[in-house]
Amino acid sequence: MKSKGGILVVDDDPDLREFLRLMLTSMGFEVISAANGQEALDVLEGHHPDLILLDMKMPVMNGWEFCRAVDGRDACPPIVVLTAAPDPAARAAEAHADGWLGKPFEYEDLEATVRRFAARPAR
Amino acid sequence: MPLPQDWPFAASVVATRRREQVLFELAKRNKADVAETFRAITEATAIALDVERTSVWRLLPDRDAIRCEDGFVRAQGRHKAGDILWARDFPSYFSAIGENRVIAAHEARTDARTRELSILYLDVHGITSMMDVPIWHQGRLYGVLCHEHVGPARRWTTDEETFAGNLADVASLALEEGERREAERRWDAVVNTIAEAVFVLDGDGTIVQANPLGARIIERAGGGLTLAERMELVEFRDEHGRVIPADRTGGRRSLRGEIVREINQLVFKRTGEQRSFRITSAPMRNGDRIHSVVVVMADVTEEMAFDRLKREVLAALAHEFKTPVAIVKGYAQHMIKQPDATAAQRPMLDAIERASNRLQRLIDDLVEVSGISLGRLVLCREPVELTAMLRSVVRWAAPAATHHRLVVNAPEPVVVSADLLHLEQAVRRLVDNAIRYSPPSDVEINVAPSDKFVVISVRDRGIGIPADQKNRIFELFFRAHAGTAHDVGGLGIGLFLAREITIRHGGAMWFESEEGKGSTFYMRLPRAEVR
């Protein structure tokens, strides 16, 4: 039986992971992090988050590869790609992701995007 | 055998025939070697006219001397050249030459034109009669063909004069031919040494001439002289990598009258090798008819690869900057919101946010520049109403324009087919510049529609652009006021981008500027029908 909820942050930059963890917890979310696509797949084995925030350029397994790996899976959480590429919307569409955030992003945009997909846990 | 009664007449017929034969032989010769032709002429005329000494003299450029280019002495059977006669020594002779007519001096020692030659020249060689005919070249007197008779004085006949004149004409032809050959040799040397491949294509697209570099390309392709063969062996691609069909190659288009300048990628199918060439092709006309095409190709593979590398590096760098900026900016924004941030910390956090915003803008600029120059800009056209777009630009600029009044003059709604995001970007750049490079004053944004076009102009009353920098203003990374008191920073990207975006929309950008008075930038866009 998988545990449920929270946001899975996948980024190879530890500082950005930490930043996102801090921001998202301050917004009231629970956060799990992974350093690349492979680690994220491992996390998904035992947990079903509400949302995945996914960096695209990562070692071991990058964002596109991760998206391909989970594409078509039943009950895969929605994916929002985090990308520094010039045309983030197109990148997101290519990867069949559900949304995108261009780096660097505004605090407000982060919050608004995340809220569209993930609910805060009831206390 | 008894001589016929009219033998002097018969002799003259024989002589005439012989002269005709000589002329015919000379005319047939290849006359490209001028010295060789002169030798043939002096020998031929010596024998045909039965003259002891014959020679070709050239009038030197200052016209103050003549130099013997070739002299033939029959008794010795030898040619000699190099003697010089000066005008100051023989003024009458030179003025006679200057009259450009035949000098037929039957009695050379007493003839007014030639007698001054007696002691120094005629007596030395035993010359009694002289006949000089002018040689023409390029509409000017080149020199004279001299006949110097040794022995009892002789009367030159009209026939002989005519014959000598004909030989002088042969000499003129030789000079012309030699000059043409020399020009050809020089041209060949140029074509053979330049760093470009040169081809001449006939009306069917067949290569009929190529310089050595061109020949090497043909060799690399494994042939391809005819168009059909060439299209089999080589694939032509345009700058965006699209295959160019046979009838759209530069050569074919030039055959239809176009002058084509473009960069093509050539894929040599035999080896798979791929190289980029800057190709220029132009029609060669004969009257109205285009009979062939000249194609010049410069290999720019390395140049293009380096250029691309530069832009790739730029794009990668910009990309790598984004994550750290996201962290800095994100924390600053977060901390400003914290209730326990102190009054002393707040201005610092604001400064961090502003600085990271500036960094972000620079990075965006770099990304956009590299995107545009890598050809990654794809326009998403939609109907764009310009007045609304300009108001949006003004709203965007307002926070920075605290000391400026932004005025939009648009007489009527004008709709163009454009990529709103990029077009607005382009106008923003113009307005941003107008604000940054002018003291507190009005910045006017005007819309002037006509039938086919609409011109958006942005006018400031600022410092203007120095005259000596006007033609560089649209260059990438060029900043007119760099290092001056007016330097307000930036990368020198704005105008480059604005113009590129305008051009991609099928428009044009230009400006008027006077130092100290201000600048007006114009953006002209086509008013395409909007469905």
Side-chain angles (χ1 to χ4, degrees), chain B residues 465-487:
Chain B
I465 298 156
D468 61 335
Q469 307 193 334
K470 282 185 173 174
N471 51 1
R472 299 193 56 194
I473 203 77
F474 289 115
E475 275 177 30
L476 182 56
F477 300 128
F478 181 77
R479 293 172 52 233
H481 302 287
T484 72
H486 301 300
D487 192 345

Side-chain angles (χ1 to χ4, degrees), chain B residues 122-139:
Chain B
L122 304 180
D123 292 352
V124 176
H125 300 298
I127 298 164
T128 48
S129 305
M130 276 180 74
M131 176 172 63
D132 289 5
V133 289
I135 299 171
W136 295 89
H137 180 50
Q138 290 185 333

Side-chain angles (χ1 to χ4, degrees), chain B residues 268-316:
Chain B
F268 298 99
K269 294 185 196 168
R270 194 170 60 98
T271 55
E273 190 187 7
Q274 184 176 324
R275 297 195 77 79
S276 299
F277 290 91
R278 182 174 292 120
I279 301 183
T280 310
S281 63
M284 292 208 274
R285 287 191 165 84
N286 190 355
D288 285 342
R289 208 175 65 84
I290 297 168
H291 55 85
S292 45
V293 168
V294 59
V295 178
V296 179
M297 296 186 8
D299 192 325
V300 291
T301 312
E302 275 77 29
E303 205 178 305
M304 300 266 293
F306 183 64
D307 230 42
R308 196 171 173 85
L309 180 72
K310 268 196 307 198
R311 286 180 260 129
E312 295 280 8
V313 166
L314 206 65

Side-chain angles (χ1 to χ4, degrees), chain B residues 335-379:
Chain B
M335 287 164 77
I336 292 167
K337 288 201 182 69
Q338 299 306 307
D340 53 356
T342 67
Q345 284 168 346
R346 283 181 191 281
M348 298 182 205
L349 293 168
D350 282 340
I352 293 175
E353 195 189 358
R354 275 198 306 276
S356 46
N357 278 338
R358 232 169 80 199
L359 265 177
Q360 188 182 339
R361 266 203 301 279
L362 289 175
I363 294 162
D364 287 345
D365 279 359
L366 285 179
V367 168
E368 191 155 1
V369 160
S370 56
I372 277 197
S373 34
L374 282 170
R376 287 196 189 128
L377 171 68
V378 180
L379 296 182

Side-chain angles (χ1 to χ4, degrees), chain A residues 16-27:
Chain A
L16 193 77
R17 276 203 310 273
E18 177 55 21
F19 166 68
L20 285 169
R21 195 191 58 75
L22 198 74
M23 295 301 110
L24 295 169
T25 43
S26 81
M27 292 174 198

